[in-house]
Amino acid sequence: MSVVIGFLFMAAVYLMLSKSLIRIIIGTGLLSHGAHLLLLTMGGLGGISPPVVADGVSVSDYADPLPQALILTAIVISFAVTSFFLVLAYRSYQELGTDNMDLLRGTEDHE
Amino acid sequence: MRTNDVMLQTATKVVTFIILMFAVHIFFAGHYTPGGGFVGGLLTTSAIVLLMLAFDIETVKKILPLNYVTMTAIGLLLALATAAASIIFDVPFFTHAYDYFDLPLFGKTSLHSAMLFDAGVYLVVVGVTMTIIQTIGEDE
Amino acid sequence: MSFVFLIFLPLLAALFIPLLFKKVGKIHTGWFVLVVPVALFIYYLSLLPTTIDGGNLVSEFQWIPSLDIAFVAYIDGLSLLFTLLITGIGALVVLYSIFYLDKHREQLHNFYVYLLMFMTAMLGIVQSDHLITLYLFWELTSISSFLLIGYWYTRDRSRFGALKSMMITVFGGLMMLGGFVLLSIMGDTYSIRELIPQAAELATHDFFIWALVLVLFGAFTKSAQFPFYIWLPDAMEAPTPVSAYLHSATMVKAGLYLVARLTPIFALSGTWMWLVAGVGLFTMFWGSFFALKQKDLKGILAFSTVSQLGLIMSLLGASAAGYHIDNIAETTFKYAGFAAIFHLINHAVFKGSLFMIAGIVDHETGTRDIRKLGGLMGLMPISFTVAMIGAFSMAGLPPFGGFLSKEMFLTAMLSLTEFDLFSMDVWGVLFPIVAWLGSVFTFIYSFYFVFHTFAGKHKPEELPKPAHEAPIGMLISPIFLALLVIVIFFIPNRVGDWLVKPAVMAIQPFLYNSPSEVDVHVSAWHGFNTELFMTLGIFAVGGLMFWTLHKWQKSYDRFPDSVSLNALYDNLMFMSDTGANRFSKLYMTGFIRSYLVYMFSFVVIIVLGTLFLTESFAFDVTNLAPIGFYEIVILLALVGSTLTILFSKSRLTAIIALGAVGYSVALFFVIFRAPDLALTQLVIETISVALFLLAFYHLPQISRKEERMRFRLGNALIALGVGVTMTLVALSAHSQKFLPSISEFYKETVYSEAGGGNIVNVILVDYRGFDTLFEIAVLGIAGIGIITMIKLRMTKKEGQHENK
């Protein structure tokens, strides 16, 4: 599991460092997946029953609900951020006609 | 984005309502079984997106003349008001109250102020997601 | 009634000012504002009987109970005196401003909002018993002063002056915060009242001297003491009502208030006495000396304010001597504290009126340049009379209030020569000499101010506007203050009993049990003693030097500007500006890739370093979840689709592969018993893919031609580093648990406390509702951002069409 998380992070970072805007966005998407899995692992993968109160299940048998709640929040936020990025990329491509990050740096005299 | 797929359109008409019903169900079930405002909101959105795919944006706008930005604002206000209401009752911010009621149709139901908060979340999720999709879609 | 809330009344009123300005344009907004200080003044006046008897009042309002931070309004003689000054002078200044600022041309709503904000801040300073809230209000005065100086923000000088005052006073404020924190560490409390009884133990503490110096930084910067006074002359760019209010009567006195308030804590130290009295006295001389160099009416007043503040400061320093004397009531040391407070009142009164007159002259003639002015006596007789009263009081002439306090100042300074601690017996003789010299120059600039403006030859051709007397409304406030100047001279002991003695109690609480024990009787005539001869000397020498002023005033111009403190400030600002610029250019390349490289490298270095240094890396196989068939399949799918993204040449493949990754993650959630997550992930992945497709429809193909091998290798290296780091972190986190998770609490109480079944959802909406609230706020912001980005272009395109 941990290796997979590491792998996801690696791929994400590699994509984010490239020059193409699309690849950067895909990279951020991957990064959030990796982060979600990391959160889940950190909480411990144990737990036999989902964290929903049911009869006949002792307290220790539930999966840890806290990381799940955190991930739920994170999923929605990452969705918002990804869509924001997408529109940003789309708009900047329309305006500037390039998606190459090296050409998108601020002008020299910009203070 | 104009399509004329009769199969898709017919199926969509049915499926959309199933999804919508499911969304509402999941939203209300959220406090006891899997579900809640987020999922409910997202499901609703996906139903509308499906409609948009099958027909087109203009038609969907005619069917559902909603201002999603306003919807977002209402949702945010609702959530905030629920949280702030606890101040009036002189308990810390965000204290929720709940009670059980016997409603005629649903049987034993619990009524939560947390539910209101979740409704706010629901509205925001639908509002924002639809805003995003609509603005991008219209910008062609 | 808990009067702690009254501090916030002006701030509350400020909320309505813009509305009133916009809706009720016919009536000058100032009339509405006027109600606030007047009402407060009357209310606080009703508290006066309590403090006259030495009593005090406390009102509390908890702000951040968990950090022990509260708004505590503590009213005793000292704070009530300041409160009355703030509200009283405030009311007069607002009245004056109604006629000074034109309701059609000026942005009155800004002005009055800032002014009311300042009023709250100032009331907060003088009433706060809590060090942290005191600091809060302290900085709030700096900010509102910044806004008010920069009120005419289109003028370069205004912006420069505003920035300068802010830089210096905020710098001092931060120093002071450090001092406060040290004080609270030493005394284990934030309350000034609780610190004072501990004074003796505090004095032996290691931090004591640091706290003392840091607090004095705050007081000296605020009260414009040498060498920090340089911001005050530049602050004169503010509208004159502001100068009269902030920069003479109230804000600059905040430093004096702080020194007075903390005197019981620090007075046992010789350093305190030397610093406060020495710096104060030197500032007094320096300010009065350079006042004569000024050509601007308000510039003269600014330097005179600096000088007068120094005078009061030195008196406060001298009052610390009382702590080292037995039986103070029978010595002359008792005068210092009394004189400080008494002169503070006098100064607020006469300097307020002088500033208002300077404003009137500016308003009615169009210039403040004293070289162009002259002979206004006949044209503006009332202004002249008021100016003369104020200036004579400042110069220390009878029958005006300033005469009495100046006499007492000399007495107090003379008494220092008899003081035999802290090597005062050697150097103490300097105090009366410097004080006398400063007073001579004070005498000269007071005359310079009045007679070069109102006497001499009228030069109508140099004035932008033909001069005439100001409207009566504008004159009310200065006339009222001028009357007060005279009244104080005739009933000094009434003023002393009501206002001064209760305040002195606060400065020297160990020495007296009640205000009536402060055994000082003010009288105009003391008989033929040293003070009288000194005063006569001042009149004689000052008069003589004023007579010959035109002969030696030019010598001021020989002081080179390049070695002044102002030049030092300018150079410092310039150097830090360019230095920071050059430094940031080193690493701010403008390539987003560089920034990401910094971030990721630091993540790797810090995380690995921590893991290594704290030896927290652990790998525990026993605790791992059993890996089943499904897991392996999903894992393979996950890895496979990630690889597809990495090596895909077409964007469509990349998007679909990203979707596949998302679905695999969702399946993981199913396996690890997270139904909510799985549901959400599935739906959101669907919508995301739709969104991606929609947007990517317009974006170009992934192009990789320009990426060279070396570039990609570097990227791969960093990526590998991050990947390995995260793996290690995940492993360690998984293998060890130091603290019991709060989840146990959630699991147990979810039904009993929150009445819910789905623990995850209950956490979201109930236990951690704040997170969710802010999360949907983030969603909303993202939505707004997207709309604006799309709509922005549309309007811009239309604009371009119009241009064509």
Side-chain angles (χ1 to χ4, degrees), chain A residues 1-38 40-54 58-95 97-106 108-111, chain C residues 581 585 588-593 596-597 600 625 635 638-639 642-643 645-646 648 651 654-655 658 661-662 665 668-669 672-677 680-681 684-685 687-688 691-692 695-696 698-704 706-707 711-712 714-716 718-720 722-724 726-727 729-731 733-734 737 741-744 746-748 750-751 756-760 763-764 768 771-772 775 778-779 781-782 785-786 789-790 792-793 796-797:
Chain A
M1 198 67 217
S2 306
V3 181
V4 177
I5 293 167
F7 179 71
L8 274 177
F9 267 93
M10 190 186 80
V13 170
Y14 180 77
L15 285 172
M16 283 168 77
L17 286 178
S18 70
K19 284 178 181 171
S20 156
L21 207 51
I22 308 175
R23 287 167 74 90
I24 293 178
I25 297 172
I26 295 180
T28 53
L30 274 185
L31 194 70
S32 54
H33 285 318
H36 299 160
L37 283 181
L38 179 63
L40 195 68
T41 337
M42 274 180 155
L45 296 174
I48 302 160
S49 162
V52 174
V53 175
S58 76
V59 166
S60 57
D61 280 345
Y62 295 124
D64 196 343
L66 185 61
Q68 296 194 11
L70 293 181
I71 295 169
L72 200 59
T73 315
I75 289 175
V76 180
I77 297 238
S78 71
F79 169 70
V81 171
T82 309
S83 42
F84 186 80
F85 274 163
L86 267 178
V87 177
L88 189 64
Y90 163 59
R91 290 282 301 114
S92 56
Y93 178 67
Q94 271 190 337
E95 290 289 312
T98 178
D99 72 330
N100 185 341
M101 287 316 290
D102 280 5
L103 301 175
L104 285 180
R105 60 181 297 208
E108 274 303 327
D109 55 317
H110 178 73
E111 292 287 2
Chain C
N581 240 332
K585 278 230 175 96
M588 300 300 263
T589 55
F591 294 111
I592 200 163
R593 182 173 167 271
L596 286 174
V597 169
F600 288 127
L635 272 182
L638 192 63
V639 174
T642 314
L643 283 174
I645 299 177
L646 280 180
S648 74
R651 57 179 188 205
I655 294 165
L658 183 64
V661 173
V665 173
F668 262 121
F669 289 149
F672 293 121
R673 282 137 204 125
D676 283 286
L677 294 187
T680 316
Q681 180 73 32
I684 222 159
E685 210 51 50
I687 297 179
S688 304
L691 202 63
F692 263 86
F696 276 32
H698 306 278
L699 284 176
Q701 281 287 344
I702 296 176
S703 51
R704 304 170 68 186
E706 72 273 32
E707 298 180 9
F711 177 81
R712 281 162 64 184
N715 288 354
I718 295 167
L720 195 69
V722 175
V724 171
M726 290 329 281
T727 312
V729 168
L731 278 175
H734 185 62
K737 293 246 186 307
S741 166
I742 195 176
S743 324
E744 300 303 320
Y746 292 148
K747 286 181 194 171
E748 278 159 23
V750 65
Y751 200 78
N758 181 353
I759 306 177
V760 175
I763 290 178
L764 279 180
R768 302 188 60 84
D771 289 6
T772 316
E775 178 202 343
V778 169
L779 265 183
I781 292 166
I786 288 169
M789 272 196 289
I790 302 261
L792 187 72
R793 195 257 341 236
K796 196 175 147 195
K797 282 274 158 71

Side-chain angles (χ1 to χ4, degrees), chain C residues 142-164:
Chain C
S142 296
I143 292 166
S144 46
S145 152
F146 167 80
L147 291 169
L148 282 168
I149 298 171
Y151 170 65
W152 284 311
Y153 51 81
T154 47
R155 299 185 188 171
D156 277 344
R157 293 295 306 171
S158 292
R159 290 201 304 267
F160 174 77
L163 188 65
K164 193 170 181 178

Side-chain angles (χ1 to χ4, degrees), chain B residues 7-21:
Chain B
M7 288 259 282
L8 182 62
Q9 292 190 354
T10 322
T12 306
K13 280 174 195 162
V14 183
V15 172
T16 304
F17 283 99
I18 297 177
I19 298 181
L20 277 179
M21 288 310 288

Side-chain angles (χ1 to χ4, degrees), chain C residues 482-499:
Chain C
L483 283 178
L484 268 185
V485 170
I486 304 175
V487 168
I488 288 176
F489 178 80
F490 288 106
I491 55 158
N493 291 306
R494 193 58 59 80
V495 177
D497 288 342
W498 283 359
L499 292 169

Side-chain angles (χ1 to χ4, degrees), chain C residues 56 100 219 256 294 309 316 352 376 390 462 485 489 514 587 589 598 715 762:
Chain C
N56 56 56
Y100 188 81
L256 299 176
Q294 305 306 310
L309 290 170
L316 286 172
L376 296 176
E462 291 196 33
V485 170
F489 178 80
S514 77
Y587 60 91
T589 55
Y598 300 146
N715 288 354
V762 170

Side-chain angles (χ1 to χ4, degrees), chain B residues 40-98:
Chain B
L42 287 171
L43 275 175
T44 315
T45 316
S46 62
I48 303 175
V49 170
L50 189 62
L51 273 181
M52 282 183 175
L53 283 177
F55 302 96
D56 62 41
I57 290 186
E58 295 308 313
T59 327
V60 177
K61 257 190 155 176
K62 246 176 251 164
I63 304 170
L64 290 169
L66 298 172
N67 184 345
Y68 294 108
V69 183
T70 321
M71 192 189 232
T72 314
I74 293 171
L76 272 175
L77 277 180
L78 187 61
L80 195 62
T82 321
S86 39
I87 290 180
I88 301 172
F89 299 110
D90 205 22
V91 283
F93 200 64
F94 255 116
T95 310
H96 284 305
Y98 66 93

